[in-house]
Amino acid sequence: MITTGSRKYATKSIVQLTREKYPKIKRNDSFKKLEQEDINFFKSVLQNDNGVVTNKDDLEFFNEDWMRKYRGESAVVLKPKTVQEVSQIVKYCNEKKLAIVPQGGNTGLVGGSVPVFDEVILSLSSMKKIRSFDKVSGILKADAGLILENADIYLSERGYIFPLDLGAKGSCHIGGNVATNAGGLRLLRYGSLHGSVLGLEVVLPDGTILDSMHSLRKDNTGYDLKQMFIGSEGTLGIITGVSILCPARPKAFNVAFLGVSSYEAVQKTFVHARGELSEILSAFEFMDSKSQKLTAKHLNSPHPLDDPFPFYILIETSGSNKEHDDAKLESFLESAMENGLIDDGIVAQDETQVQTLWQWREQIPEASTIGGGVYKYDVSLPLPDLYGLVEAVRAKLNDANLIGETDEFPVVDAVGYGHIGDGNLHLNVAVRRYTKDVEKVLEPFVYEWIQSKKGSISAEHGLGFQKKNYIHYSKSDQEIKMIKDLKNHYDPNGILNPYKYV
C-alpha cells in the first residue's frame, strides 16, 4: 500500500484510463498537445523546485480521482503560489489553446478535478495563506488552497468556526469547496456557501484577474458576480481567493446517537428535534443499518449501540450555554422515547466520544470502498421519498442478480445515509469491481427515479464528468442553454475543465 498525502493507493491494480473506459468521449482536436516549449514557459513563471511536476510517478496522485474510477494522462502539474502566477499560466494556455483542469484537494466524487485526456493540471495546493481575519465581524480572507480543517483550526483559536464541515476536511481546499458549492454536515445550522461567501478572487479563462474579495454583507450595486462561480466547478474561472463570513464558535457541543425502527420514525424524530431543540440544533444525520455494517468492518470497532436497528440518527447540538443545551437535549430525548420515536440511544460524555460517534457517520464513504470501489450518488429529494431511492436501487440490483455476499457478485450492497435537514441523500453502491453491467442497471434508472420525484441529481458534489450527460434530469432546456451561453461567452476556447459540467 502506498500512502500519498491523505490518500492511499493499492499497488495491486491500475485504474483504467478514462479515455479507454469511455471510448465515445473524444479529445478536442482544437486543443494543443503539450510540448517542451510549454514546460519551459511554465518553469519561467514558477521559479521554484516544486512548481512544475513532470515525474511520471509523482503525476499519478494528480491524474487519478480518490475513488479510483477516473484516470487521466496529464504530463504536467503546475503549482503556482500567487494569483499573478495563475493569471500568467491561464493567459498563456488560452492563447496556445492548452486545456486546463483546476485541482484543489482532489477529494471530488464525480471526476471533476482530474483530467479526461492530457489536460494541464493546475493545482492550488501551494496557495494556502490566510490573508486576513477580522475578529469583530468574523470575516476570513484566504487563499483558495487553504485546507478546510486548517482554516477551522485557525478560526477556533480565535473563537470562530468555519461555516462548513465535511468528512474530507483534512484534505479538501476551501476554494474547491466553493467551486463545487459543497454542502456538508452543518448546512442545517449555517446555510449554504451562496449565503456565507462574501467575495471571491477569480482568474478568468483569458487570464484576467477578477478581484471581488469584498467584506460587505450588504451590497446592492449591480449583479452579484461571485454567485456565478459558486458551484461552477472551475468551468468559468479558477477561484484563487475566498472572503467568507464565519460565525462565532459555539462553546458547548453535544452529540446523541440514536436507533430507530423505520424511516418514518427518522422523519418524525426530525420534526420533533426541530421543535424541541430549535436554535441549538446544528446537525441531523441519518444512516441505514447496512451502512453501519460496512463502517463496523472498516473501523474494526463495536457499534455504539448494542442492539441492531434498521436506521440510526446522529444529532448534534451547539450553543453558548452547556447547562441550557444539556437540559434541552435531555428533555428532547425523554419525550422522544415516551412518544415511541426512538428505541435506544447514547449521548457523548466528552470530546473523545463526540469524535467517536461522528466517525460512524463520517467514515461511511471510505467504508463503502473497502470491497474494491463504490458508485456514489449525491441527490436531493423530498423527505418522504428520500430513502425510497435506496430501496428501489437495491431491488433493481437484486433483480439483475448483481448483489450478493460472495466474490462472484460485483455488488456488495446499496446503502443510504445523509442530511435529513436539507433533504440530501447519499446513495452508495459498494462494489467489488466496476463493471458495465452494474452501470447499466444504475444509469439512467437512478436519474429517472429522481426526476419522477422532482428531485436533483446532484445535491452537493456537482456534475463533473460523471453526471454531465444527465443534467437534463434536473434542469430545463432553457436553463441548460443559459449555462452553455455563459460558458461560451467567458471561455470561448473551452480550455477550462473541458469534457465536464455541460
Side-chain angles (χ1 to χ4, degrees), residues 24-51:
K24 291 183 180 179
I25 304 294
K26 302 299 181 183
R27 185 183 185 278
N28 188 333
D29 290 335
S30 68
F31 293 148
K32 179 188 176 184
K33 291 191 175 182
L34 191 72
E35 298 177 358
Q36 187 57 46
E37 65 175 3
D38 304 316
I39 300 291
N40 294 339
F41 173 80
F42 297 142
K43 287 182 176 179
S44 72
V45 174
L46 307 175
Q47 296 183 13
N48 65 80
D49 295 338
N50 301 315

Side-chain angles (χ1 to χ4, degrees), residues 313-333:
I313 296 169
L314 185 148
I315 290 176
E316 181 191 77
T317 66
S318 54
S320 59
N321 187 312
K322 182 165 176 54
E323 289 185 8
H324 168 268
D325 295 357
D326 287 352
K328 290 198 75 167
L329 181 60
E330 184 178 350
S331 175
F332 159 75
L333 293 173

Side-chain angles (χ1 to χ4, degrees), residues 128-149:
K128 51 190 176 184
K129 293 180 180 178
I130 291 172
R131 302 184 185 182
S132 66
F133 178 66
D134 186 332
K135 295 180 181 179
V136 177
S137 65
I139 296 171
L140 174 74
K141 294 185 179 181
D143 288 349
L146 180 64
I147 291 174
L148 175 58
E149 188 170 42

Side-chain angles (χ1 to χ4, degrees), residues 280-436:
I280 65 170
L281 181 63
S282 54
F284 191 103
E285 301 290 303
F286 95 99
M287 302 140 281
D288 67 10
S289 60
K290 293 180 182 294
S291 73
Q292 294 299 279
K293 288 178 181 178
L294 289 178
T295 307
K297 290 180 182 178
H298 175 59
L299 294 176
N300 194 26
S301 299
H303 197 267
L305 301 184
D306 294 333
D307 296 325
F309 294 94
F311 291 91
Y312 298 88
I313 296 169
L314 185 148
I315 290 176
E316 181 191 77
T317 66
S318 54
S320 59
N321 187 312
K322 182 165 176 54
E323 289 185 8
H324 168 268
D325 295 357
D326 287 352
K328 290 198 75 167
L329 181 60
E330 184 178 350
S331 175
F332 159 75
L333 293 173
E334 286 179 358
S335 59
M337 290 284 283
E338 290 172 359
N339 293 327
L341 299 179
I342 61 177
D343 299 310
D344 195 6
I346 183 174
V347 177
Q349 298 301 307
D350 53 39
E351 179 61 26
T352 300
Q353 286 191 7
V354 166
Q355 298 303 322
T356 299
L357 291 179
W358 264 115
Q359 274 198 317
W360 288 91
R361 163 60 182 86
E362 291 184 328
Q363 289 297 312
I364 297 174
E366 194 168 334
S368 299
T369 70
I370 59 177
V374 61
Y375 292 95
K376 298 180 72 71
Y377 296 92
D378 146 60
V379 306
S380 287
L381 285 162
L383 283 181
D385 301 313
L386 197 71
Y387 195 71
L389 176 60
V390 183
E391 295 171 326
V393 166
R394 191 178 292 134
K396 194 87 170 169
L397 291 167
N398 273 317
D399 290 344
N401 199 33
L402 293 171
I403 187 169
E405 296 183 0
T406 58
D407 287 346
E408 64 184 288
F409 297 97
V411 179
V412 177
D413 218 329
V415 307
Y417 61 99
H419 322 299
I420 287 292
D422 49 48
N424 183 183
L425 170 73
H426 296 296
L427 165 65
N428 284 8
V429 179
V431 297
R432 296 179 177 90
R433 52 194 172 274
Y434 294 115
T435 71
K436 289 293 182 183

